[in-house]
């Protein structure tokens, strides 16, 4: 028997069959692609080559993202090749969707003073820097924001509640309230200072109670951590006067409350002192012709001013009468002079006076006619005679003295 060799060709051009492709779900990002066919099988995938051949290679081609996010659909393409180099491409669907909300924890702050109140937080990183603070998301934080702030007063304290929200990239959110309890200082209020260099002249010049604008313009101030209720500003009680109406002070008490209704008070004092005398000016000098009656004295201020006199006081005169009067007569050859001194006084005892002059002309004039002397003396100054010692000497020398009615 002679042996004979027979050649048998074994092969296939039929591509592998993709029987099962597992769909994948991820929270934040797509998982890594398969490096081996074994990893694909471990996730439940199955590929059957033709005629019992084996899978030779599994090759990642590309990821094609979808048009939406949260959820995002990713199509991942692979190529599988059998031992005969027959190949098939197939797609795996991956869904990426974060459904886990973030976590936000801000510890409360209790019983702090006003200076220790923190400002509002502006970033989630600040929260993680706080003892006991936490701002976390399994994927990524997108937004950190303050939603609102509320304040509630309670027995010398104020509770500040700030509500914050943290949001991840898929819109999952967590909200928390941050409580801060503050021990409040008393409301501070300081009235405008008393101006010692600007003492008013009289009590009538003291202005009325201040409104809020005047209070601030004159240097008043107030403060409260929780804010001031401006509409509550007012004067309380009755003004208190010290001294008297001529030299004293008016003190007023003002009050304001803060937004928690806590009041504060201060006192504002205005000083006054009337030590300025009145102003008085007498009428012009009066000439009384012979035969006429002299003007009588003025008994009231009204008579005085009607005759041209002036009387004025910044505050108030004591009455419509003169506080003092005196009259002096000075006799003369041609006229007599009457000097009347009028005095006025204000309510605080300050006095002023003026003198009114009345000249009363007499009915006769008195004349002297001197004796005649030479206009030229021969021996000069030595010939000047001695002065006349008596009226008789004057008359005997040729002089004359006489009176006659006024023309």
């Amino acid at each position: 028997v002679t042996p004979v060799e027979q050649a048998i060709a074994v092969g296939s051009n039929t591509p592998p069959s993709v029987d099962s492709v597992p769909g994948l779900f991820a929270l934040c990002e797509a998982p890594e692609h398969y490096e081996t066919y074994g990893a694909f099988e471990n996730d439940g995938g199955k590929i059957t080559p033709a005629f019992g051949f084996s899978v030779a290679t599994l090759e990642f081609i590309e990821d094609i993202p979808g048009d939406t996010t949260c959820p995002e659909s990713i199509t991942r393409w692979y190529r599988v090749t059998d031992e005969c180099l027959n190949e098939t491409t197939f797609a795996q669907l991956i869904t990426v969707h974060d459904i886990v909300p973030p976590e936000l924890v801000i510890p409360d702050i209790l019983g702090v003073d006003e200076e220790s109140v923190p400002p509002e937080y502006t970033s989630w990183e600040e929260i993680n820097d706080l003892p006991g603070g936490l701002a976390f998301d399994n994927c990524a934080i997108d937004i950190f924001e303050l939603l609102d702030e509320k304040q509630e007063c309670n027995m010398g304290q104020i509770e500040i509640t700030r509500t914050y929200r943290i949001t991840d990239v898929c819109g999952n959110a967590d909200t928390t309230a941050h409580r801060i309890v503050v021990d409040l200082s008393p409301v501070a209020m300081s009235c405008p200072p008393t101006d010692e260099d600007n003492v008013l002249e009289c009590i009538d010049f003291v202005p009325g109670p201040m409104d809020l604008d005047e209070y601030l313009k004159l240097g008043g101030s107030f403060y409260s951590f929780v804010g001031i209720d401006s509409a509550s500003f007012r004067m309380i009680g009755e003004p208190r006067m010290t001294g008297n109406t001529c030299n004293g002070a008016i003190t007023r008490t003002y009050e304001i409350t803060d937004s928690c209704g806590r009041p504060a008070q201060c006192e504002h004092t205005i000083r006054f002192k009337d030590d300025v005398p009145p102003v008085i000016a007498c009428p012009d000098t009066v000439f009384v012709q012979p035969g006429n009656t002299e003007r009588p004295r003025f008994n009231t201020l009204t008579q005085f001013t009607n005759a041209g006199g002036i009387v004025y006081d910044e505050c108030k005169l004591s009455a419509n009468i003169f506080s003092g009067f005196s009259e002096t007569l000075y006799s003369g050859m041609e006229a007599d002079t009457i000097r009347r001194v009028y005095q006025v006084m204000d309510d605080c005892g300050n006095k002023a006076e003026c003198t009114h002059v009345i000249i009363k002309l007499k009915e006769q004039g008195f004349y002297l006619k001197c004796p005649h002397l030479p206009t030229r003396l021969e021996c000069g100054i030595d010939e000047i005679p001695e002065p006349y010692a008596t009226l008789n000497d004057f008359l005997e020398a040729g002089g004359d003295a006489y009176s006659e009615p006024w023309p």
Side-chain angles (χ1 to χ4, degrees):
V1 177
T2 303
V4 178
E5 292 183 356
Q6 182 182 21
I8 300 173
V10 178
S12 173
N13 60 0
T14 301
S17 172
V18 178
D19 299 329
S20 175
V21 178
L24 298 182
F25 179 85
L27 292 174
C28 301
E29 57 184 20
E32 295 292 326
H33 60 76
Y34 301 124
E35 297 286 347
T36 65
Y37 177 67
F40 176 74
E41 279 188 313
N42 289 338
D43 270 356
K46 184 179 181 182
I47 297 175
T48 304
F51 305 109
F53 291 106
S54 299
V55 174
T57 61
L58 179 67
E59 176 186 4
F60 168 73
I61 300 175
E62 65 175 339
D63 282 341
I64 299 178
D67 296 331
T68 62
T69 58
C70 298
E72 177 185 12
S73 296
I74 299 174
T75 303
R76 177 169 288 175
W77 285 94
Y78 289 93
R79 181 184 292 111
V80 62
T81 305
D82 65 13
E83 295 173 306
C84 292
L85 302 182
N86 299 304
E87 62 182 37
T88 297
T89 60
F90 66 92
Q92 182 184 36
L93 181 62
I94 303 173
T95 301
V96 179
H97 189 194
D98 182 13
I99 57 174
V100 179
E103 186 176 358
L104 181 61
V105 177
I106 306 177
D108 292 339
I109 302 176
L110 306 178
V112 298
D113 56 30
E114 297 170 355
E115 290 74 18
S116 301
V117 176
E120 64 183 60
Y121 303 122
T122 58
S123 68
W124 61 268
E125 291 89 349
E126 294 178 83
I127 306 304
N128 287 329
D129 291 336
L130 299 174
L134 176 65
F136 171 78
D137 187 69
N138 61 311
C139 295
I141 297 173
D142 184 33
I143 300 172
F144 176 82
E145 58 188 331
L146 173 68
L147 297 181
D148 64 18
E149 178 176 316
K150 296 179 180 179
Q151 298 183 356
E152 182 177 350
C153 305
N154 182 22
M155 299 293 291
Q157 291 183 322
I158 184 168
E159 182 173 321
I160 303 172
T161 302
R162 296 169 179 166
T163 303
Y164 294 92
R165 181 169 63 194
I166 193 172
T167 308
D168 65 17
V169 293
C170 280
N172 303 300
D174 187 21
T175 301
T176 190
H178 182 213
R179 293 174 59 244
I180 306 170
V181 179
V182 185
D183 295 329
L184 294 176
S185 300
V187 183
M189 185 178 190
S190 179
C191 278
T194 300
D195 189 351
E196 298 292 345
D197 296 329
N198 186 24
V199 179
L200 300 180
E201 187 172 330
C202 57
I203 191 172
D204 292 339
F205 289 179
V206 175
M210 295 179 290
D211 60 22
L212 182 58
D213 289 340
E214 292 170 323
Y215 174 87
L216 295 173
K217 184 177 181 180
L218 292 174
S221 63
F222 39 71
Y223 173 77
S224 172
F225 178 79
V226 298
I228 292 294
D229 179 10
S230 298
S232 68
F233 180 82
R234 61 172 184 156
M235 184 187 79
I236 61 173
E238 294 296 325
R240 184 176 72 255
M241 190 178 82
T242 54
N244 53 55
T245 58
C246 295
N247 183 8
I250 296 291
T251 299
R252 298 185 176 112
T253 302
Y254 292 89
E255 181 182 78
I256 200 165
T257 58
D258 66 5
S259 298
C260 287
R262 300 181 305 151
Q265 299 173 358
C266 66
E267 291 186 342
H268 182 229
T269 299
I270 303 173
R271 293 189 56 205
F272 55 87
K273 182 179 181 180
D274 184 4
D275 57 3
V276 178
V279 175
I280 183 171
C282 282
D284 293 338
T285 299
V286 175
F287 291 89
V288 180
Q289 298 296 329
N292 292 342
T293 303
E294 66 185 63
R295 176 177 293 179
R297 60 169 287 190
F298 304 115
N299 292 312
T300 66
L301 300 186
T302 302
Q303 295 172 346
F304 182 82
T305 54
N306 287 342
I310 298 173
V311 179
Y312 172 74
D313 187 70
E314 285 286 348
C315 298
K316 184 180 180 183
L317 293 171
S318 59
N320 189 31
I321 59 174
F322 293 100
S323 59
F325 173 79
S326 65
E327 179 176 295
T328 305
L329 174 63
Y330 298 90
S331 297
M333 291 186 299
E334 298 182 5
D336 294 334
T337 301
I338 302 172
R339 300 177 66 86
R340 292 173 177 169
V341 178
Y342 293 91
Q343 183 187 80
V344 291
M345 182 174 65
D346 63 17
D347 278 349
C348 292
N350 302 301
K351 299 176 182 180
E353 63 182 31
C354 69
T355 301
H356 187 215
V357 178
I358 302 172
I359 298 177
K360 186 176 181 181
L361 301 174
K362 293 185 176 180
E363 295 186 358
Q364 292 181 342
F366 184 75
Y367 294 91
L368 288 176
K369 182 179 179 182
C370 290
H372 175 72
L373 291 175
T375 57
R376 181 175 181 179
L377 300 175
E378 295 295 335
C379 296
I381 193 171
D382 294 334
E383 293 186 1
I384 297 177
E386 293 294 327
Y388 305 114
T390 64
L391 177 59
N392 288 334
D393 294 339
F394 178 81
L395 295 176
E396 289 176 358
D400 195 7
Y402 64 95
S403 63
E404 63 182 19
W406 288 87

